[in-house]
Amino acid sequence: VQLQASGGGLVQAGGSLRLSCAASGRTFSNYNMGWYRQAPGKERVFVAGITWSGIRTYSTDSLKGRFTISRDNAKNTVYLQMNSLKPEDTAVYYCKATLVPSTREKYDYWGQGTQVTVSS
Protein backbone atom coordinates (compact mmCIF):
# COMPACT_ATOMS: atom_id res chain seq x y z
CA VAL A 1 0.00 0.00 0.00
CA GLN A 2 1.19 3.53 -0.76
CA LEU A 3 0.36 6.38 1.60
CA GLN A 4 0.18 10.09 0.84
CA ALA A 5 -0.16 12.47 3.78
CA SER A 6 -1.34 16.04 3.36
CA GLY A 7 -2.94 18.90 5.22
CA GLY A 8 -0.05 20.20 7.24
CA GLY A 9 0.88 23.84 7.41
CA LEU A 10 1.51 26.84 9.61
CA VAL A 11 -1.16 27.72 12.14
CA GLN A 12 -1.36 29.93 15.20
CA ALA A 13 -1.73 28.47 18.65
CA GLY A 14 -5.37 27.62 19.31
CA GLY A 15 -6.03 26.93 15.65
CA SER A 16 -7.02 23.75 13.87
CA LEU A 17 -5.78 21.57 11.07
CA ARG A 18 -7.04 18.39 9.50
CA LEU A 19 -4.48 15.97 8.20
CA SER A 20 -5.37 13.42 5.55
CA CYS A 21 -3.63 10.25 4.53
CA ALA A 22 -4.77 8.69 1.29
CA ALA A 23 -3.95 5.07 0.65
CA SER A 24 -3.67 3.28 -2.64
CA GLY A 25 -2.91 -0.27 -3.50
CA ARG A 26 -4.44 -3.02 -1.48
CA THR A 27 -7.68 -3.15 0.47
CA PHE A 28 -7.59 -0.18 2.80
CA SER A 29 -10.32 -1.48 5.09
CA ASN A 30 -8.10 -4.37 6.19
CA TYR A 31 -5.47 -2.05 7.63
CA ASN A 32 -5.06 -0.58 11.05
CA MET A 33 -4.07 3.04 10.60
CA GLY A 34 -2.06 5.36 12.78
CA TRP A 35 -0.64 8.83 13.03
CA TYR A 36 2.81 9.49 14.46
CA ARG A 37 4.83 12.64 14.84
CA GLN A 38 8.45 13.54 15.06
CA ALA A 39 9.58 16.83 16.52
CA PRO A 40 13.04 18.23 15.69
CA GLY A 41 15.73 16.29 17.49
CA LYS A 42 13.27 13.80 18.94
CA GLU A 43 12.12 10.30 18.16
CA ARG A 44 9.00 9.54 16.22
CA VAL A 45 6.12 8.86 18.60
CA PHE A 46 2.62 7.51 18.38
CA VAL A 47 -0.21 10.03 18.32
CA ALA A 48 -3.41 8.17 17.49
CA GLY A 49 -4.60 4.98 15.88
CA ILE A 50 -7.74 3.44 14.49
CA THR A 51 -8.20 -0.23 13.83
CA TRP A 52 -9.77 -1.75 10.77
CA SER A 53 -12.96 -2.10 12.86
CA GLY A 54 -12.96 1.52 13.97
CA ILE A 55 -11.53 1.28 17.49
CA ARG A 56 -9.63 4.46 18.33
CA THR A 57 -6.65 4.90 20.60
CA TYR A 58 -4.70 8.01 21.57
CA SER A 59 -1.28 8.41 23.10
CA THR A 60 -2.48 10.60 25.95
CA ASP A 61 -5.76 11.84 27.39
CA SER A 62 -4.66 15.35 26.56
CA LEU A 63 -4.37 14.54 22.89
CA LYS A 64 -7.62 12.62 22.98
CA GLY A 65 -9.39 15.79 24.00
CA ARG A 66 -7.91 17.83 21.16
CA PHE A 67 -7.27 15.35 18.33
CA THR A 68 -9.69 13.02 16.60
CA ILE A 69 -8.70 10.20 14.29
CA SER A 70 -11.21 8.87 11.79
CA ARG A 71 -11.29 6.90 8.60
CA ASP A 72 -13.38 6.75 5.47
CA ASN A 73 -12.95 3.35 3.89
CA ALA A 74 -14.89 4.40 0.81
CA LYS A 75 -12.25 7.06 0.17
CA ASN A 76 -9.29 5.00 1.38
CA THR A 77 -8.38 7.84 3.69
CA VAL A 78 -7.60 8.33 7.35
CA TYR A 79 -7.87 11.74 8.98
CA LEU A 80 -6.48 13.48 12.01
CA GLN A 81 -8.51 16.46 13.13
CA MET A 82 -6.35 18.62 15.37
CA ASN A 83 -7.95 21.36 17.44
CA SER A 84 -6.60 23.76 20.04
CA LEU A 85 -3.13 23.35 18.63
CA LYS A 86 -0.15 24.23 20.78
CA PRO A 87 3.43 25.09 19.84
CA GLU A 88 4.53 21.73 21.26
CA ASP A 89 2.43 20.03 18.59
CA THR A 90 4.93 21.25 16.02
CA ALA A 91 6.34 18.21 14.24
CA VAL A 92 6.35 16.23 11.06
CA TYR A 93 3.28 14.02 11.11
CA TYR A 94 3.40 10.59 9.53
CA CYS A 95 0.69 8.09 8.80
CA LYS A 96 1.22 4.38 9.04
CA ALA A 97 -0.73 1.43 7.76
CA THR A 98 -0.43 -1.91 9.49
CA LEU A 99 -1.62 -5.21 8.16
CA VAL A 100 -1.79 -8.19 10.49
CA PRO A 101 -2.78 -11.17 8.37
CA SER A 102 -2.00 -13.65 11.15
CA THR A 103 -0.60 -13.77 14.67
CA ARG A 104 2.88 -14.32 13.23
CA GLU A 105 2.81 -11.68 10.52
CA LYS A 106 2.77 -7.92 10.62
CA TYR A 107 3.47 -5.46 7.85
CA ASP A 108 3.96 -1.72 8.32
CA TYR A 109 3.86 0.95 5.64
CA TRP A 110 4.73 4.62 6.15
CA GLY A 111 3.71 7.76 4.36
CA GLN A 112 6.14 10.58 3.61
CA GLY A 113 5.10 12.96 6.39
CA THR A 114 3.53 16.39 6.47
CA GLN A 115 4.90 19.34 8.43
CA VAL A 116 2.76 20.98 11.11
CA THR A 117 4.06 24.20 12.60
CA VAL A 118 2.21 25.95 15.40
CA SER A 119 3.28 29.47 16.20
CA SER A 120 2.80 31.06 19.60
Side-chain angles (χ1 to χ4, degrees):
V1 63
Q2 293 80 43
L3 304 174
Q4 181 71 40
S6 61
L10 175 64
V11 63
Q12 290 188 334
S16 298
L17 283 173
R18 188 177 80 157
L19 306 183
S20 299
C21 177
S24 60
R26 298 183 182 269
T27 306
F28 176 76
S29 60
N30 291 341
Y31 288 80
N32 298 327
M33 301 298 297
W35 285 99
Y36 291 70
R37 66 185 182 185
Q38 187 168 18
K42 297 187 177 180
E43 293 185 352
R44 191 176 302 184
V45 297
F46 172 76
V47 174
I50 185 166
T51 67
W52 62 270
S53 60
I55 298 172
R56 297 174 174 85
T57 56
Y58 297 89
S59 60
T60 66
D61 288 340
S62 173
L63 281 179
K64 182 179 181 180
R66 298 189 295 121
F67 292 7
T68 302
I69 188 170
S70 62
R71 66 190 297 160
D72 186 336
N73 289 338
K75 296 183 178 180
N76 286 2
T77 302
V78 62
Y79 303 98
L80 186 67
Q81 178 67 45
M82 305 186 295
N83 299 327
S84 302
L85 283 162
K86 303 176 181 180
E88 52 264 42
D89 295 318
T90 295
V92 178
Y93 283 71
Y94 298 89
C95 61
K96 186 178 81 168
T98 299
L99 182 65
V100 185
S102 73
T103 57
R104 290 179 293 179
E105 297 176 276
K106 180 183 177 184
Y107 302 97
D108 290 330
Y109 305 88
W110 290 92
Q112 87 288 358
T114 184
Q115 176 71 48
V116 172
T117 303
V118 185
S119 63
S120 58

